[in-house]
Amino acid sequence: VHSHKKTIAFTNSTITSFITMPGLTMMMTPEQESTSLLSSSMSIGEVADRLAAMQLQESTSYRCRDYIDNDNKTTMCSPSLRRPRQQQRGPQEHQIIDRDCRLKMCEWCYQVSDFCKFQRETVAIGMDYLDRFLSTSSPRAIRALCDKKEFQLVAMTSLYIAIKLFEPLAMDAGLLAQISHGCYTEMDVVEMEQEILTSLLWRMNGPTTHAFLSHIMTLLPPSAYGYDKTTAMALLDFSRFQAEIAVSDYDLSLQKPSTLALAAILNSIEGIEMSLFPARSRFQFFQLIADASGMNPFSSEVNVARARLLELFSQSSGYEMPQIANLTPVIKAEQCFMEQKLPNNTSPQTMSSPVCVSRHFASERGIYSAKCA
């Protein structure tokens, strides 16, 4: 299986350096790659067919359930499912897995990925394996929710599988055992790999937020941004970075990748000045997205995802993501409530609100429902 790949080799110093690596930073897309993406030879019909297939997958075979906040987590973590007493290493093992546990493992995966020069989408794929595996009824998945050591093994093995499938370099199971500083053996990794593959029914190639981003961006004609590659690359880079930081957020992991992709694109577009990306071009782009995918840029799901992505961006980068166009701003919950309370004889000033923009768009194109985003 690995005969066509080179094997990664680390020294002891590089293994320990994983602990002190900096946080996630935005990486610029090479100009050649962005040009290739934005000038795809696929027709709108081909993009629409692919999006339809991906949306079907994300709604069926590749959905994961809420395994942290579900109502059965107390009974799931019964003593009989925990590690045998002779293998217990401390009280911390028996704490139920929470968002912080998942966040730490995701950060670790990004550290490994950036150090090895892997694609960051590989981490998204690995975390998808983790989430879907923990959504199954596998005894080891249930145990991982009650045992931090088991959970860590699942997360490490999920990344290991993603690297094997989607990277040109192979990571040996023995290397993963070495990185764990003796917590796991090579056989532990191999057995967990088989358990994950079997529990997921070998469904290992589902649609990711990055994949939806790439396909949606091919719908954007160069004329929309005046053939300015700098504008297009900024839109692509900011959207991808939001997709990357979304991987670490448990609540966003429960959302459909297509929703996150659209939310990231809308946030990025709002950060571009009107002179570089005119309003007419923006709404024409939104209409192309709606026609090709059936997704509503003004839906409540997209609005909630946008708000969370902006919050994560601020936490990760240390500054607010620019939102200057004010054509499709994120609408707060209290704004939605006030819009719904407005009388029919609303003053002309309110007709410039983002909600009214979406209503105008709906009546003009006959696509969107006239409700608050």
Side-chain angles (χ1 to χ4, degrees):
V1 175
H2 299 172
S3 59
H4 66 291
K5 296 185 176 183
K6 296 181 180 179
T7 304
I8 303 170
F10 294 149
T11 63
N12 288 335
S13 60
T14 58
I15 291 174
T16 56
S17 68
F18 288 144
I19 304 174
T20 58
M21 285 185 179
L24 195 65
T25 56
M26 186 163 68
M27 300 176 66
M28 300 296 105
T29 304
E31 183 175 353
Q32 183 177 3
E33 180 183 343
S34 63
T35 301
S36 174
L37 175 63
L38 295 170
S39 59
S40 173
S41 60
M42 286 191 296
S43 67
I44 294 180
E46 290 174 321
V47 175
D49 289 341
R50 291 193 179 194
L51 287 173
M54 293 161 62
Q55 287 174 294
L56 178 61
Q57 286 182 313
E58 70 173 355
S59 299
T60 54
S61 305
Y62 289 88
R63 289 300 300 269
C64 68
R65 67 172 176 84
D66 185 351
Y67 58 84
I68 288 182
D69 293 330
N70 69 85
D71 296 332
N72 298 322
K73 66 180 181 179
T74 302
T75 56
M76 287 169 63
C77 290
S78 60
S80 62
L81 292 173
R82 294 174 178 168
R83 195 175 292 274
R85 184 171 298 276
Q86 61 269 25
Q87 297 182 27
Q88 294 177 5
R89 296 177 181 264
Q92 294 298 318
E93 285 189 343
H94 304 306
Q95 294 182 13
I96 297 174
I97 297 304
D98 56 18
R99 286 168 171 75
D100 191 51
C101 297
R102 185 185 180 281
L103 173 61
K104 289 179 179 178
M105 288 310 303
C106 184
E107 291 175 343
W108 180 87
C109 289
Y110 271 128
Q111 290 172 359
V112 174
S113 174
D114 285 353
F115 186 87
C116 298
K117 308 300 181 184
F118 292 148
Q119 301 177 79
R120 285 181 171 174
E121 186 177 5
T122 302
V123 175
I125 295 170
M127 293 302 293
D128 173 70
Y129 295 163
L130 169 69
D131 293 330
R132 287 196 291 123
F133 175 68
L134 295 179
S135 299
T136 69
S137 57
S138 164
R140 297 208 59 178
I142 296 174
R143 185 186 306 163
L145 293 174
C146 318
D147 187 333
K148 287 189 175 181
K149 184 178 179 182
E150 187 83 353
F151 172 78
Q152 182 174 283
L153 175 60
V154 174
M156 295 175 69
T157 307
S158 295
L159 177 64
Y160 166 71
I161 296 172
I163 292 171
K164 286 178 65 175
L165 294 177
F166 295 97
E167 293 291 344
L169 298 178
M171 176 179 283
D172 186 79
L175 175 60
L176 200 62
Q178 184 182 1
I179 292 176
S180 74
H181 296 286
C183 290
Y184 313 103
T185 65
E186 182 175 349
M187 186 55 63
D188 289 333
V189 176
V190 172
E191 290 178 351
M192 181 56 74
E193 177 187 16
Q194 186 61 43
E195 181 70 20
I196 293 174
L197 293 172
T198 303
S199 299
L200 297 184
L201 304 177
W202 294 82
R203 294 189 174 111
M204 314 304 290
N205 196 22
T208 64
T209 302
H210 293 74
F212 275 105
L213 269 174
S214 299
H215 283 77
I216 293 175
M217 287 296 295
T218 62
L219 298 173
L220 180 64
S223 58
Y225 47 87
Y227 299 91
D228 182 3
K229 289 185 178 180
T230 303
T231 300
M233 291 176 65
L235 176 58
L236 184 60
D237 288 336
F238 275 92
S239 298
R240 283 186 167 179
F241 184 60
Q242 290 175 82
E244 291 164 0
I245 58 180
V247 175
S248 64
D249 188 79
Y250 174 73
D251 294 303
L252 289 182
S253 73
L254 300 175
Q255 300 296 317
K256 294 180 180 179
S258 59
T259 299
L260 299 182
L262 182 54
I265 290 174
L266 288 174
N267 282 345
S268 300
I269 289 177
E270 269 297 301
I272 299 176
E273 295 181 359
M274 295 283 289
S275 60
L276 300 175
F277 197 162
R280 179 178 294 275
S281 297
R282 297 175 193 231
F283 284 104
Q284 288 176 343
F285 181 40
F286 299 158
Q287 188 61 50
L288 284 173
I289 295 173
D291 291 341
S293 66
M295 291 189 289
N296 182 357
F298 304 104
S299 69
S300 59
E301 293 81 6
V302 172
N303 186 77
V304 170
R306 288 183 62 189
R308 182 56 180 158
L309 287 173
L310 290 175
E311 182 181 352
L312 291 174
F313 184 95
S314 176
Q315 294 174 359
S316 179
S317 63
Y319 62 91
E320 300 290 334
M321 184 174 178
Q323 299 286 281
I324 58 180
N326 203 35
L327 268 183
T328 55
V330 174
I331 303 172
K332 305 299 182 182
E334 56 271 20
Q335 288 178 276
C336 289
F337 178 78
M338 290 302 297
E339 286 286 344
Q340 292 171 351
K341 290 292 186 180
L342 286 176
N344 293 331
N345 57 347
T346 307
S347 62
Q349 287 81 357
T350 60
M351 293 305 294
S352 62
S353 74
V355 177
C356 294
V357 169
S358 69
R359 285 174 177 162
H360 172 72
F361 194 56
S363 60
E364 181 181 349
R365 306 300 300 186
I367 293 294
Y368 303 112
S369 58
K371 65 178 183 179
C372 184

